[in-house]
């Protein structure tokens, strides 16, 4: 039977989010209902409510979540009731041209639930990134549920569902950071901080954290940065070159999403080095670079969506490393809040003292 649960929705562009009652249908074929235990507050949730993603209001917000599978629909074998799962927005289809080329991490036709969750009056909700997890329960495609070790704290595990995975993956999957590499990370919020952590995990020898906020630089040091540069007071390109024998870093991760910081990343990498853009720009932003420099400096200019992750491969592995004390995922949980604290958490994002606020249910 369809259930009524509490959830956070964005009803109209720019309006404050509200806690309301929604209707979650029973899972149909290939679907699962998940009882949410924790869900992090991400910039993308704020972009949805500001109308920056599309106009399909009302949105059911929240997408960095962990919980327990309550029920599954017909034909679902990969997860079952009672499983502890992290929700992902890359349930690979196995059929599209990316999947067929053996590159499921780029899947172009990822699955979401077919049925719609609704308001009490029947209005259909658009779940953020096909998840919608600021809710006591949500309906997703079964492939969006990735089983991980239930010993992990839900508030920590859920963060792997988006921003933290994006940052770790930007370094190790997209950037290919390896043992002995020099890495610079520009912008050390939740995503950039995770890129620092991922670089340490991969054995990078030098990890240079760049930010305009000293609090973020102190945080990055705890996550494994070997050097820090405040780019408000110091030219980051010169500083990164000076720290790498005048050459630039092997891999530079741009985790801000602005033309100025991208240009810094471009010039702060060594010849034949790699730039990874994981920060998300806005539609009006333009990049201008001498084409000769693009050619002459060689190497690779890459973008990283969701850290090029494959949830089934990456989530359980990263959770295991966390449980072994080898990956400090706990550092990203700055505060835990309740469902009615999401609007305030959006405000706190701008104050800069939060890596992640996490709703715990
Ligand atoms: N130079 C260096 N650092 C900067 C600059 C700049 N010009 N402008 C902002 N920053 C820093 C901020 O001080 C902050 O530490 O970038 C960091 C951004 O972090 P958060 O606001 O926590 O954002 P985060 O969740 O890490 O996401 C980063 O990725 O997912 C996208 O939309 C997201 O574009 C954003 C980016
Ligand atoms: Zn596919
Ligand atoms: Zn997110």
């Amino acid at each position: 039977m369809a259930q009524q649960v509490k959830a956070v929705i964005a009803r109209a562009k720019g309006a404050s989010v509200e806690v309301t009652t929604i209707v979650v249908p029973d899972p149909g074929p290939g679907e699962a209902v998940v009882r949410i235990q924790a869900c992090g507050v991400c910039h993308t949730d704020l972009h949805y409510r500001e109308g920056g993603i599309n106009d399909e209001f009302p949105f059911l917000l929240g997408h960095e979540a962990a919980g327990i599978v309550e029920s599954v629909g017909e034909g679902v074998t990969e997860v079952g009731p009672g499983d502890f799962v992290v929700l992902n927005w890359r349930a690979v289809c196995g059929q599209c041209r990316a999947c067929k080329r053996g590159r499921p991490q780029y899947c172009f036709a990822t699955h979401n639930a077919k049925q719609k969750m609704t308001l009490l009056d029947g209005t259909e909700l658009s779940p953020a990134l096909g998840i919608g997890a600021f809710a006591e329960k949500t309906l997703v495609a079964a492939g969006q549920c990735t089983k991980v070790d239930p010993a992990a704290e839900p508030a920590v595990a859920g963060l792997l569902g988006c921003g933290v995975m994006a940052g770790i993956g930007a370094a190790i999957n997209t950037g290919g950071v390896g043992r002995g590499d020099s890495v610079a990370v520009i912008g050390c919020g939740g995503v950039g901080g995770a890129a620092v952590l991922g670089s340490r995990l991969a054995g990078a020898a030098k990890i240079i954290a760049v930010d305009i906020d000293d609090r973020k630089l102190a945080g990055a040091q705890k996550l494994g940065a070997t050097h820090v540069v405040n780019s408000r007071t110091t030219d980051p390109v010169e500083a990164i070159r000076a720290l790498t024998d005048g050459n630039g870093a092997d891999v530079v991760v741009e985790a801000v999403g602005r033309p100025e910081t991208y240009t810094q990343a471009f010039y702060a990498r060594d010849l034949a080095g790699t730039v990874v853009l994981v920060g998300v720009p806005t539609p009006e932003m333009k990049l201008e670079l001498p084409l000769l420099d693009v050619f002459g400096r060689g190497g690779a200019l890459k973008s990283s969506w969701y850290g090029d992750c494959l949830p089934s491969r990456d989530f359980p592995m990263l959770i295991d490393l966390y449980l072994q004390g080898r990956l400090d995922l706990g550092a990203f949980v700055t505060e835990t809040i309740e469902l009615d604290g999401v609007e305030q958490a959006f405000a706190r994002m701008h104050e800069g003292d939060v890596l992640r606020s996490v709703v715990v249910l």
Side-chain angles (χ1 to χ4, degrees), residues 42-44 47 186-193 210-213 216 231 255-258 260-261 264 278-281 349 354-356:
C42 174
H43 282 83
T44 304
H47 292 326
I186 301 181
C188 296
V191 175
V210 179
D211 205 291
I212 50 176
D213 183 336
K216 294 298 168 67
S231 55
V256 183
R258 300 190 56 82
E260 315 85 85
T261 40
Q264 291 165 1
V278 65
V280 183
M349 277 181 177
V354 174
L355 284 183
R356 277 296 187 267

Side-chain angles (χ1 to χ4, degrees), residues 14-327:
S16 294
V17 301
E18 53 185 284
V19 179
T20 190
T21 302
I22 65 163
V23 180
V24 179
D26 280 343
E31 294 175 341
V33 168
V34 179
R35 180 166 61 77
I36 301 300
Q37 294 176 300
C39 182
V41 182
C42 174
H43 282 83
T44 304
D45 295 305
L46 181 57
H47 292 326
Y48 272 109
R49 96 91 194 270
E50 287 177 344
I53 302 207
N54 61 50
D55 284 329
E56 291 158 22
F57 290 93
F59 292 108
L60 171 59
L61 299 180
H63 60 274
E64 301 190 339
I68 306 283
V69 175
E70 180 183 79
S71 55
V72 298
E74 206 187 301
V76 174
T77 53
E78 64 269 44
V79 286
D83 284 341
F84 178 60
V85 296
V86 175
L87 298 183
N88 74 70
W89 42 273
R90 183 168 284 153
V92 299
C93 76
Q95 309 292 325
C96 73
R97 60 196 191 281
C99 285
K100 283 186 174 152
R101 293 180 73 213
R103 298 174 188 185
Q105 70 274 25
Y106 303 134
C107 178
F108 301 137
T110 55
H111 289 303
N112 295 128
K114 296 245 160 37
Q115 299 182 85
K116 289 288 189 180
M117 292 178 274
T118 66
L119 296 175
L120 287 175
D121 66 5
T123 305
E124 292 188 350
L125 292 162
S126 305
L129 294 171
I131 292 180
F134 290 145
E136 292 165 322
K137 295 177 187 180
T138 193
L139 176 78
V140 292
Q144 292 182 269
C145 301
T146 309
K147 268 201 271 189
V148 299
D149 190 327
E153 189 81 39
V156 175
L159 296 187
L160 271 188
C162 182
V164 171
M165 184 68 246
I168 294 176
I172 66 179
N173 292 335
T174 315
V177 170
R179 194 171 65 242
D181 284 349
S182 57
V183 181
V185 177
I186 301 181
C188 296
V191 175
V196 168
L197 189 65
S199 299
R200 177 166 73 176
L201 179 68
K206 204 166 271 177
I207 305 171
I208 304 162
V210 179
D211 205 291
I212 50 176
D213 183 336
D214 283 327
R215 293 169 300 176
K216 294 298 168 67
L217 293 173
Q221 254 170 334
K222 290 203 189 101
L223 292 166
T226 57
H227 302 80
V228 297
V229 175
N230 187 322
S231 55
R232 208 185 271 290
T233 50
T234 307
D235 180 333
V237 176
E238 278 176 25
I240 292 166
R241 285 192 187 150
L243 288 164
T244 50
D245 303 323
N247 300 319
D250 298 314
V251 180
V252 185
V253 177
E254 201 283 22
V256 183
R258 300 190 56 82
E260 315 85 85
T261 40
Y262 189 88
T263 303
Q264 291 165 1
F266 180 82
Y267 286 109
R269 82 193 157 125
D270 198 358
L271 292 173
T274 301
V275 173
V276 177
L277 176 64
V278 65
V280 183
T282 55
E284 72 283 1
M285 291 175 177
K286 294 267 191 296
L287 181 68
E288 204 173 314
L289 285 172
L291 193 54
L292 184 59
D293 284 353
V294 175
F295 175 74
R297 302 180 65 81
L301 305 177
K302 303 177 88 175
S303 303
S304 185
W305 297 1
Y306 205 178
D308 288 339
C309 77
L310 196 52
S312 57
R313 174 193 66 194
D314 295 330
F315 291 3
M317 177 263 294
L318 294 170
I319 288 292
D320 288 350
L321 291 173
Y322 155 67
L323 289 172
Q324 292 165 17
R326 296 163 65 188
L327 191 70

